[in-house]
Structure formats: C-alpha cells, structure tokens
C-alpha cells in the first residue's frame, strides 16, 4: 500500500471516537459495538452504528449506515473524495458499498488478521485482492488503534 497519504489529525480523532463509541455499545443486545464515520477532508459528514440486530437487516453494518447518512446529508450519492473510518476492518459488502459511493480510502481500527472469522464471508479475499479488482485508486490504513477495540472482535463476541 502506498504510504504517501498520511493520516490527518481529524481522521485519527474520528477513529478514536468510533472506537470509544464501539466500546460503549459493546454488549448491548440491540446494537453491536461497531462504529463508522465518513469524512470529507477534516469534516465528519456522518457517523453510523451497526444496526443489524436493531433493524433485523443483515445489510445495516455501521459502514453502510454511515455511507447512507453521509450521502443523505450532502443530498447526493457520490462521496468521491471522502474517507471511511471504522472501528473494524470493513467486510466485503462494506468495501463494495464504499466503492459504489465513490469512496476510495478507508482507515480502520481492528484488522482482519486479529479478529474472529465471522466478520468476513469471504475469508480468502484480502484488501490487496480488492485493490487489484477495484477500478481507480483504493487506499487503506490499518489496523490502527487496534488495542482500543481488539477485545471486542477477537472472539466474535460483537
């Protein structure tokens, strides 16, 4: 992965906020402790929390919720130039939604290699594979701040 795109203070702060909120939600029967945000530059367009159990909808991952809210907030589905921040490395569905919305950069807390397999339906599909298949740029930074949330995801408790 190219290292030429540094993490900004605003992005680091958003990741810290996502991780802190994930810890608050951990163990709640209605929501899993997974939180995401969409940033345009240093501005947070939206946050999203996992709503799968709350809405009985397997597609309502935190990343999808954040993407949906960000698009609604700006009144357009194109989120090109934005960055997705999330407490857990995005699954394949969320990576696809990210790219459908035009987002080409993700920053995540806990990484796939350190978490339970239940979070990934296609365990052999790596970020490198996703980048190779993506049209255009695709950048990621992570795992970052993993120690803040790894206990939430290591055994698949969330």
């Amino acid at each position: 992965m190219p290292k030429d795109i540094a993490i900004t203070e605003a992005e680091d702060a958003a990741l810290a906020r996502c991780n802190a909120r994930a810890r608050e939600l951990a163990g709640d029967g209605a929501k899993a402790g997974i939180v995401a945000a969409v940033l345009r530059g240093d501005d947070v367009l939206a946050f999203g929390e996992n709503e799968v159990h709350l809405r009985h909808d397997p597609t309502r991952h935190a990343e999808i919720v954040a993407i949906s809210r960000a698009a609604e907030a700006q009144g357009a589905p194109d989120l090109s130039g934005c960055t997705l921040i999330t407490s857990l490395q995005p699954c394949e569905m969320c990576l696809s939604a990210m790219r459908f919305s035009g987002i080409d950069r993700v920053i995540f807390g806990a990484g796939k290699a350190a978490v339970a397999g239940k979070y990934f339906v296609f365990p052999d599909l790596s970020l490198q594979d996703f980048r190779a298949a993506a049209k255009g740029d695709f950048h990621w930074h992570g795992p970052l701040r993993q120690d803040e949330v790894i206990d939430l995801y290591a055994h698949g408790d969330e």
Side-chain angles (χ1 to χ4, degrees):
M1 180 184 108
K3 296 292 185 187
D4 56 331
I5 303 173
I7 303 298
T8 68
E9 287 183 31
E11 291 167 340
D12 185 59
L15 180 57
R17 188 169 168 193
C18 287
N19 286 353
R21 180 64 178 149
R23 291 209 70 75
E24 290 174 11
L25 293 171
D28 182 337
K31 292 186 179 180
I34 303 169
V35 179
V38 175
L39 277 69
R40 180 175 299 287
D42 289 345
D43 298 323
V44 176
L45 296 179
F47 281 94
E49 299 172 357
N50 186 297
E51 297 179 351
V52 169
H53 298 296
L54 181 68
R55 304 236 183 233
H56 310 291
D57 181 345
T59 68
R60 297 302 289 171
H61 291 196
E63 298 87 349
I64 303 285
V65 173
I67 289 167
S68 177
R69 289 180 179 165
E72 185 176 347
Q74 72 171 13
D78 185 2
L79 297 173
S80 296
C82 291
T83 299
L84 179 67
I85 311 283
T86 180
S87 60
L88 175 62
Q89 181 176 330
C91 73
E92 307 83 4
M93 176 180 69
C94 294
L95 288 170
S96 294
M98 182 186 100
R99 294 302 293 139
F100 271 105
S101 71
I103 298 173
D104 64 4
R105 187 162 181 254
V106 61
I107 298 168
F108 57 90
K112 181 177 181 176
V115 303
K118 81 170 201 172
Y119 298 109
F120 300 91
V121 177
F122 301 100
D124 295 332
L125 184 62
S126 70
L127 287 169
Q128 292 86 350
D129 295 331
F130 192 81
R131 179 196 292 146
K135 293 181 180 177
D137 290 335
F138 175 69
H139 304 278
W140 72 89
H141 291 276
L144 299 172
R145 295 179 165 271
Q146 181 169 261
D147 59 319
E148 296 174 357
V149 289
I150 192 60
D151 62 305
L152 302 179
Y153 315 123
H155 302 293
D157 298 331
E158 279 306 303

